Amino acid sequence: MTTTPPTGQSHAPPPNTAWAERPPLVAAMYNPALIACLLSAAADAYKRHTPSGMPLALSFVIVPLALHRGTRDALPATTSTHLRKWVERHPVVRTGFPDRAQALVDSVRQGLRFALRHHILELHEDALLPSEELPARAAEYPELDDILRISRLLGRWLAKDDTATVFALLGVAP
């Protein structure tokens, strides 16, 4: 069953569901172009901390963190809070995260393919680098603006830990 994002448990539709059959809001939230932009914002912020690029595997963590409204609202305002402390303070978010991450695997893959095909991101070994600078804000669209802002925060924040630690703390495996 698909619930309506951005609130509640956001589960992507089955991978073979035609775009025309998806509820409009679900199609918009899991649009490959949106996911490509979200990942580009995160990779750009990550690159400022680690010039070699954002590990590809983090895409599968960043998208469910950024798209789920409850998680977005619970994220810290800055990167000074350590991920381990944040997870300890928000056990409910961590509890549902593995299911949300698994439900979004196909959508993340579609977004990555779109980003690579349209030169939004470049893949160097197993790291993503933004290939063009996207607008920093989308002020006329508050929800989109919030998603992009959080994506940049996640890029900076997750650059502080190694990928294996991030996955372990969130209860998922690559």
Side-chain angles (χ1 to χ4, degrees), residues 27-144:
M29 290 300 287
Y30 301 121
N31 180 323
L34 172 63
I35 292 173
C37 290
L38 178 164
L39 290 174
S40 178
D44 185 54
Y46 193 101
K47 178 185 78 168
R48 295 171 198 270
H49 187 274
T50 306
S52 60
M54 182 178 83
L56 176 67
L58 285 180
S59 302
F60 297 92
V61 169
I62 289 172
V63 171
L65 288 171
L67 289 183
H68 184 255
R69 170 82 170 264
T71 302
R72 262 197 334 266
D73 291 345
L75 288 170
T78 69
T79 62
S80 62
T81 301
H82 190 277
L83 178 62
R84 180 180 315 279
K85 286 288 183 195
W86 180 81
V87 168
E88 288 171 3
R89 292 180 190 146
H90 297 88
V92 173
V93 172
R94 185 186 186 273
T95 300
F97 184 77
D99 289 338
R100 283 193 304 281
Q102 183 62 45
L104 290 173
V105 166
D106 288 320
S107 296
V108 173
R109 286 181 181 148
Q110 290 173 0
L112 284 166
R113 282 192 297 271
F114 185 94
L116 295 169
R117 186 177 309 121
H118 293 279
H119 309 288
I120 296 167
L121 289 170
E122 295 175 3
L123 183 62
H124 296 276
E125 300 198 17
D126 70 339
L128 294 170
L129 290 164
S131 52
E132 60 182 71
E133 193 163 321
L134 297 174
R137 305 236 18 232
E140 63 276 13
Y141 303 103
E143 185 85 13
L144 176 58

Side-chain angles (χ1 to χ4, degrees), residues 129-158:
L129 290 164
S131 52
E132 60 182 71
E133 193 163 321
L134 297 174
R137 305 236 18 232
E140 63 276 13
Y141 303 103
E143 185 85 13
L144 176 58
D145 195 47
D146 190 43
I147 290 168
L148 293 174
R149 179 186 61 78
I150 288 297
S151 298
R152 288 188 297 277
L153 171 79
L154 288 168
R156 291 189 312 273
W157 198 33
L158 298 183

